[in-house]
Every structure is written in structure tokens, then in C-alpha cells.
């Protein structure tokens, strides 16, 4: 899926895939990618919601292409929906291959749902930033 990442948008998270994140063949573990996406979604949601958020669901995870050691990994977030206690964030993960500085590829996408919780980890109504 070559192309350009979402226009007019800064990534919520950008990092480089390192050897410790890969299997012996040099492919990055899917769990590492999911973790980066979870961090990106939480960062994105935290700019919209006051208080603590926890991840409660991942919907429609799709791995389109592999990620390799040395790839620059960027996660782009978009608000999908909000509820009384929850916020759903659609996350696209794109890479810039280390060999091709101008080649961007969408490698993964999913929707993560976060719930606002109190100090006892019980759901509470979202307090939105104005």
C-alpha cells in the first residue's frame, strides 16, 4: 500500500523499529506494533479527555505489510466515536523504509477503545477538555 500518510496531520507517535523488537528473520513482532499503536491512541485520547484512560478493546486489527528493523514507524490517530465513558480511536500505522526515504507504506490499522476510569478503576463519565 504505497502512498502518503494522512495529509495535514502529525503522527501521535513516531519511533524506529529496533533489533530487539524483531524475530531472528528481522520482521518486527506484531505485538510490538500493537503496543506502539496503543501508546499512540492513549496519547491522542489524553488530549481530548481529562483523567485516566484504560484500553478495553482492539477492533479490526489488520496487518497489511511487514515492518522491518530500521523502519521509521508513525501512528496516525483519528477520533471515531465517543460515548458516556468511552472513546474510540482509529489508528493507522505507516512506515518509511530505511532504504527509500520517500516511500511511505501503510502497514497496519485498527480501532482502539479506551474507557475513562476513577482511582478505583471503575468507569466514570468522560470529562472533556474544552
Amino acid at each position: 500500500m504505497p502512498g502518503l500518510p494522512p495529509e495535514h496531520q502529525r503522527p501521535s507517535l513516531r519511533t524506529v523499529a529496533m533489533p530487539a523488537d524483531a524475530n531472528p528473520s528481522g520482521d518486527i513482532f506484531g505485538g510490538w506494533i500493537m503496543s506502539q499503536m496503543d501508546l499512540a491512541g492513549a496519547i491522542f485520547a489524553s488530549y481530548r479527555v481529562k483523567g485516566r484512560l484504560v484500553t478495553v478493546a482492539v477492533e479490526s486489527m489488520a496487518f497489511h505489510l511487514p515492518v522491518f528493523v530500521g523502519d521509521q514507524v508513525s501512528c496516525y490517530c483519528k477520533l471515531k466515536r465517543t460515548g458516556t465513558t468511552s472513546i474510540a480511536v482509529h489508528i493507522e500505522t505507516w512506515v518509511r523504509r530505511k532504504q527509500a526515504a520517500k516511500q511511505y507504506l501503510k502497514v497496519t490499522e485498527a480501532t482502539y477503545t479506551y474507557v475513562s476510569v476513577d482511582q478505583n478503576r471503575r468507569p466514570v463519565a468522560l470529562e472533556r477538555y474544552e
Side-chain angles (χ1 to χ4, degrees):
M1 297 183 146
L4 294 174
E7 292 183 64
H8 310 295
Q9 189 178 0
R10 287 189 211 164
S12 294
L13 181 81
R14 180 174 285 156
T15 190
V16 175
M18 301 298 285
D21 308 317
N23 63 26
S25 299
D27 298 322
I28 299 301
F29 292 116
W32 180 84
I33 296 167
M34 290 180 73
S35 174
Q36 300 308 302
M37 293 172 75
D38 193 12
L39 288 168
I43 290 167
F44 178 85
S46 74
Y47 283 104
R48 286 153 178 77
V49 177
K50 293 179 185 177
R52 183 176 179 181
L53 295 166
V54 296
T55 309
V56 297
V58 179
E59 304 168 34
S60 307
M61 190 77 181
F63 292 96
H64 305 299
L65 295 168
V67 177
F68 304 116
V69 170
D71 284 351
Q72 184 183 87
V73 178
S74 299
C75 298
Y76 296 87
C77 298
K78 181 170 66 174
L79 180 64
K80 187 168 181 181
R81 67 182 174 275
T82 58
T84 304
T85 62
S86 66
I87 182 170
V89 179
H90 185 77
I91 306 165
E92 291 185 0
T93 301
W94 290 69
V95 298
R96 187 179 80 175
R97 299 280 189 221
K98 63 181 178 181
Q99 301 88 352
K102 294 189 179 191
Q103 183 182 24
Y104 294 90
L105 304 167
K106 182 165 66 168
V107 294
T108 310
E109 62 185 309
T111 299
Y112 282 63
T113 302
Y114 303 89
V115 169
S116 178
V117 295
D118 64 16
Q119 64 273 18
N120 297 313
R121 297 188 175 96
R122 292 191 184 109
V124 295
L126 294 178
E127 293 184 45
R128 292 174 176 82
Y129 284 102
E130 298 299 326

